[in-house]
Amino acid sequence: MTSHRSIPARLAALVGAGAVVALVAGCGAPAALPTPAPPIPPPGTAALPTPAPPIPPPGTAALTGPDVGAWLDGLVPAGLARSGIAGAAVTVVHDGQVIATRGYGFADSGSGGPGPDSTGSDSTGPRPVDPDRTLFRVGSVSKVFTATTVLQLVEQGRIDLDADVGRYLDVAIPRSFDAPITMRNLLTHTAGFEERIKGLISYGESPVNLRDAVAVDPPEQVFAPGTVPAYSNYGYALAGYIAERVSGTPFETLVQRDVLARAGMTSSTFAQPLPPELRDRLSHGYDTASNPAGPFETVGPAPAGALSATATDMARFLQTELGGTGRPPLLTPQTLASMRAPALDASTLGTLADGPRMALGLFDESRNGHRIVGHGGDTGYFHAHLQMYPDDRTGVFVALNSTGRGPTDTLELRESLLDGFADRYFPAPPAPPAPTAPTASEHAAMAQGSYESSRSLYSTFLSAMGVTGQTTVTARPDGTVLVAPGPGTAYPAVYREVRPWVWQEVGGQRTLTMRADDDRVTAIGYQSAFTLLRAEPGRAAGVALPVLLSSAAVLLVALLAWPVGAVNRRRHRLPAPASLGRLGDLARLPTRIATAAAVLALAGWTTAIATIAGLQEFPDVVVRVLQVAQWTALAGVAPAAVLLIASVRHRAGRGRVLGAALVLLALVGVAWFGTMFGLFSASVSY
């Protein structure tokens, strides 16, 4: 358990720890697990992060408790202080032993929560993270446990990985293709479902009905099964519901009994809200360490992300998975091997199969030539990652209870820890770089263009989110490609083709694979479960955004100019605009109504998307109002055209003709954008 210490005491402890590390590194003898590092002081007090030990040359760092502990004590507190993250827990196992379990910072800053639905307890004093007692929400790391539960049922012959899942369901699921949807597809994110946000996370403690989560307003199937990796929480909700159906046991009870209990995870649960004996041990969740605690997050598709666990329990799971503890395994060796192996091949993925592929519930996160499988997870406040090195019998788990000051703070801290761990203890052997493939320049030219994520919404108004966050691939004269932003990062990255359709990050270890149709690349695979799909010309941000912004600007100026002009004429006693004939005069009012409707729709859609992107509910009735406004704006194209023709015929003047033409073009632009991005969809789903 962590404890408070004065700064001088910390420095003394650091000197002592350094001596122990030096001694152990020199003789190679094992040592006892060091005392967990002290937490970061609460907001408003001074902090003196311990400097991280220097990264040694490859092959010199000993994977021992003292070295790992000292390295973590230097890295994590400094990262928390820099990013404004309140607390963290880390555990490392190796050869069946827990060699480090650490808690840093606070589970409760002492500022109190927002009410009875807040996470954690109502204590008034700071509560440090205790890796043995403090529970963290682990988000999508839960999917590893769901996959394990399903594979136990596969072993029992109650689920067939390659049979259509319809045989196990009592609800209809969306289907747009004849190919079967299999459990293998669900566990590898290749069932073809679009993204769905509504109901993913709600705030406050409320019970969850898993059947409703899969049956009510399901997402559309937009890709043929097995062909396009597209990360899907809905797919894992289905997998968990199937496990519930075939076992006859509620999912939370099933995974508790057959996975958590068997792994010795006595302080972990999928239950929402948490059981009374665990509720007060749950960490608060924060935006930053200086913000008030957020409310409890209820995950709608529970099998996709509802697990709450301590770092110590996660260490027990890693030990059980990696062996060497004497605890009975959760899966047979054959099933465990298949769970960690690529689960799909080129027969459906094509050349996307030449890079990292999903295993059954696990991502291929290999680094430095070492096989690594793992899974990350995020809720609104909590962020976690689990990695296993099956061949090295090593595992790492890290959890954070805050998002941090910057949008990528938690990602960068997790990457620095996980990649730093791999580079320190499992460095890459010296090897010459792979030669550039002779097809590099040709394939780079075929790849150039704009791409959208396969993890998107296609059938609803949230298709408009596709105009933001697009990725641009630019072919460079030397045969490399510039990818902006680089997949899995917020920064541009350069990739070099090392085998046909396989691209390696220059100066890094990320890998892309490409799939081409005819003379252009149509799909780029990355990080096992994600795909970039070439944007249609009209959906490319470089085209759509200028049209949208210029149309919005014209309509807003026109909407303001009409009343300003009327006031100006009245003030200066100017004559009213000349008549444009019967049709022209009749067209004025509907054109202005359409202009106002278009501005209302665009402002409303922007608000809706921003609200929903923050995992907040947006009223269906307001969506309906925006849909009516969008159609009203479309209907205004005809009177706007009549107004322009009348202005020309009656020689209304260059300014009025130009204004009418711009309004018509702007209404057409808004209509075109709405058509390309689903704003005319009758659905209120998201």
Side-chain angles (χ1 to χ4, degrees):
M1 182 173 180
T2 55
S3 60
H4 297 282
R5 297 182 186 177
S6 65
I7 290 177
R10 290 193 200 180
L11 294 176
L14 175 62
V15 173
V20 172
V21 171
L23 179 61
V24 172
C27 66
L33 186 67
T35 303
I40 293 177
T45 62
L48 183 61
T50 304
I55 297 177
T60 63
L63 184 51
T64 62
D67 192 88
V68 172
W71 178 71
L72 290 173
D73 292 348
L75 175 70
V76 180
L80 299 187
R82 181 173 56 252
S83 58
I85 294 173
V90 186
T91 190
V92 178
V93 304
H94 178 62
D95 277 342
Q97 301 298 314
V98 180
I99 63 172
T101 300
R102 318 290 266 186
Y104 301 97
F106 286 89
D108 181 350
S109 67
S111 60
D117 289 334
S118 64
T119 57
S121 68
D122 296 325
S123 65
T124 57
R127 177 164 56 97
V129 171
D130 180 344
D132 294 329
R133 290 188 53 81
T134 303
L135 281 78
F136 285 74
R137 309 302 302 279
V138 303
S140 288
V141 175
S142 307
K143 292 180 173 70
V144 179
F145 295 81
T146 297
T148 301
T149 303
V150 168
L151 291 174
Q152 289 175 334
L153 295 169
V154 171
E155 287 183 343
Q156 297 167 21
R158 302 167 81 175
I159 293 177
D160 184 336
L161 272 177
D162 296 306
D164 191 287
V165 296
R167 68 166 62 175
Y168 307 114
L169 293 169
D170 63 343
V171 298
I173 57 176
R175 295 178 186 265
S176 303
F177 301 88
D178 294 332
I181 299 173
T182 67
M183 182 60 74
R184 186 181 300 275
N185 294 142
L186 297 182
L187 296 185
T188 57
H189 299 287
T190 56
F193 297 119
E194 65 178 338
E195 179 65 287
R196 183 65 86 238
I197 297 177
K198 190 173 186 178
L200 181 60
I201 291 179
S202 58
Y203 296 99
E205 296 181 340
S206 57
V208 173
N209 184 301
L210 183 53
R211 187 181 189 279
D212 287 348
V214 301
V216 177
D217 197 20
E220 293 295 323
Q221 187 187 35
V222 293
F223 307 118
T227 61
V228 177
Y231 192 89
S232 174
N233 288 301
Y234 178 77
Y236 266 78
L238 268 182
Y241 183 60
I242 290 169
E244 178 174 293
R245 287 269 300 159
V246 302
S247 67
T249 304
F251 174 78
E252 290 83 356
T253 303
L254 179 67
V255 69
Q256 189 79 37
R257 181 191 69 198
D258 292 350
V259 178
L260 303 183
R262 286 177 56 185
M265 301 176 68
T266 56
S267 296
S268 301
T269 182
F270 268 79
Q272 300 178 109
L274 271 64
E277 66 272 16
L278 297 178
R279 187 178 188 273
D280 288 344
R281 292 168 54 188
L282 178 65
S283 171
H284 281 298
Y286 297 90
D287 288 324
T288 70
S290 59
N291 289 116
F296 181 83
E297 297 171 291
T298 297
V299 179
L307 178 63
S308 302
T310 65
T312 297
D313 272 4
M314 295 301 291
R316 292 177 180 136
F317 176 74
L318 288 168
Q319 287 177 295
T320 305
E321 288 289 284
L322 295 166
T325 63
R327 185 179 290 120
L330 300 174
L331 299 169
T332 66
Q334 295 80 7
T335 303
L336 196 57
S338 67
M339 182 181 184
R340 297 168 177 171
L344 294 173
D345 57 28
S347 63
T348 57
L349 292 175
T351 51
L352 295 183
D354 293 335
R357 285 170 284 163
M358 275 298 297
L360 297 173
L362 291 164
F363 285 72
D364 179 355
E365 299 177 346
S366 300
R367 185 175 178 85
N368 296 340
H370 291 263
R371 183 164 65 112
I372 306 173
V373 291
H375 210 301
D378 301 90
T379 70
Y381 300 114
F382 290 88
H383 311 273
H385 208 111
L386 175 144
Q387 283 191 340
M388 292 181 280
Y389 296 64
D391 304 324
D392 301 295
R393 298 180 65 195
T394 300
V396 184
F397 171 76
V398 55
L400 310 170
N401 64 6
S402 315
T403 297
R405 299 186 188 97
T408 61
D409 281 346
T410 62
L411 176 64
E412 291 173 0
L413 180 53
R414 283 178 287 175
E415 283 189 348
S416 66
L417 191 153
L418 296 169
D419 291 352
F421 179 87
D423 295 344
R424 183 178 181 86
Y425 300 106
F426 299 99
T436 299
T439 54
S441 293
E442 176 189 359
H443 290 172
M446 294 171 64
Q448 183 158 299
S450 296
Y451 294 80
E452 299 180 69
S453 172
S454 61
R455 189 185 181 184
S456 299
L457 297 99
Y458 293 88
S459 66
T460 76
F461 64 91
L462 281 189
S463 174
M465 293 178 71
V467 77
T468 62
Q470 291 188 5
T471 298
T472 301
V473 176
T474 304
R476 304 194 339 157
D478 61 356
T480 60
V481 293
L482 175 66
V483 185
T489 177
Y491 309 103
V494 175
Y495 283 80
R496 181 174 61 90
E497 190 176 40
V498 294
R499 301 195 308 276
W501 305 117
V502 179
W503 297 74
Q504 185 72 46
E505 183 182 17
V506 175
Q509 297 195 34
R510 292 184 174 91
T511 300
L512 303 180
T513 53
M514 297 183 180
R515 186 171 66 200
D517 291 328
D518 298 326
D519 60 348
R520 66 175 191 164
V521 169
T522 56
I524 300 175
Y526 69 100
Q527 292 183 347
S528 302
F530 301 94
T531 311
L532 296 173
L533 301 174
R534 183 178 288 274
E536 299 175 19
R539 287 182 62 92
V543 175
L545 280 177
V547 170
L548 175 65
L549 295 177
S550 59
S551 297
V554 167
L555 295 175
L556 183 59
V557 169
L559 192 62
L560 295 174
W562 289 324
V564 169
V567 170
N568 188 56
R569 285 192 299 273
R570 176 173 296 183
R571 176 178 297 176
H572 298 284
R573 298 181 180 181
L574 299 175
S579 173
L580 298 177
R582 182 171 176 273
L583 287 179
D585 292 343
L586 288 175
R588 280 179 175 151
L589 180 59
T591 298
R592 293 180 180 183
I593 291 174
T595 299
V599 172
L600 171 65
L602 293 178
W605 292 129
T606 301
T607 302
I609 290 171
T611 301
I612 294 167
L615 299 181
Q616 301 286 334
E617 295 280 334
F618 195 80
D620 290 351
V621 65
V622 179
V623 175
R624 288 296 187 204
V625 170
L626 296 178
Q627 290 170 338
V628 170
Q630 190 74 41
W631 280 100
T632 301
L634 174 63
V637 171
V642 170
L643 186 61
L644 173 60
I645 294 171
S647 298
V648 172
R649 284 183 175 177
H650 289 80
R651 299 180 180 180
R654 186 175 301 173
R656 291 181 66 186
V657 170
L658 178 61
L662 288 175
V663 168
L664 173 60
L665 289 174
L667 288 173
V668 170
V670 170
W672 171 83
F673 183 88
T675 301
M676 294 302 302
F677 290 93
L679 299 184
F680 292 108
S681 169
S683 172
V684 296
S685 299
Y686 55 85

